[in-house]
Amino acid sequence: LFRSARTWAIPPLCRDRLTLGFMRFTFVLHGEATQLRQLRAALEAWVDLDGSELDDLVIVVNELAANAINYGQAPQQVSVQRTRASIRICVTQARLDSLPLPHIASENGSRGRGLVLVDALSDDWGWWASAKEVAVWAVLALPGNLSQ
């Protein structure tokens, strides 16, 4: 039904430092769902995309951030990096007892579709965990750049 999320000892996206060729956007969440609207507005102002590419990016960032707020502990950090070929998203938070795995939501349920959406809209995604934190990341290829 969906791809398996890849796990990394330390995900490349979340450990990369700002280098030439990268643009980075960072937003810190304090566990409040109302911040998602601010995050979306800031992201739309920062990124130079339109149409379905912008919609996909906003949905993926929103779902990962909402999961961090709903299931994590504040503060959570959302980092978005743009290269020539892709946009990479990483959301980090304090370590939890459960890990971010997609599941099939009940037909009438209002939750449980976020990671399924991330899987459908991203070109790659996964998670990693250490003793202190967990991060969920996703990669979206930019139009005209199908190789990463």
Side-chain angles (χ1 to χ4, degrees):
L1 187 59
F2 39 74
R3 296 172 288 174
S4 295
R6 292 196 304 163
T7 60
W8 300 82
I10 302 173
L13 165 63
C14 300
R15 70 170 181 237
D16 285 346
R17 298 292 176 237
L18 188 61
T19 60
L20 294 176
F22 279 88
M23 291 177 12
R24 178 174 279 171
F25 167 89
T26 302
F27 195 93
V28 177
L29 300 168
H30 300 286
E32 299 171 22
T34 56
Q35 289 185 291
L36 293 175
R37 200 168 331 151
Q38 296 167 343
L39 171 60
R40 284 191 297 269
L43 183 62
E44 289 173 1
W46 175 78
V47 71
D48 184 24
L49 291 175
D50 56 15
S52 65
E53 291 85 16
L54 177 60
D55 294 341
D56 290 353
L57 174 63
V58 168
I59 290 169
V60 169
V61 170
N62 188 70
E63 291 302 328
L64 295 180
N67 281 350
I69 288 173
N70 289 328
Y71 303 109
Q73 296 175 0
Q76 301 93 359
Q77 180 172 307
V78 177
S79 297
V80 182
Q81 297 174 346
R82 182 179 178 147
T83 67
R84 288 183 200 93
S86 64
I87 294 183
R88 304 169 181 186
I89 303 109
C90 181
V91 178
T92 57
Q93 64 190 32
R95 176 69 191 255
L96 305 173
D97 293 334
S98 63
L99 295 173
L101 300 173
H103 64 280
I104 298 173
S106 66
E107 189 174 311
N108 297 325
S110 62
R111 298 179 143 220
R113 293 173 181 83
L115 290 177
V116 175
L117 285 171
V118 170
D119 181 69
L121 297 175
S122 66
D123 294 284
D124 199 8
W125 76 279
W127 58 269
W128 69 274
S130 70
K132 294 183 179 183
E133 67 181 353
V134 65
V136 183
W137 56 269
V139 178
L140 284 76
L142 289 173
N145 292 297
L146 297 179
S147 63
Q148 295 178 31

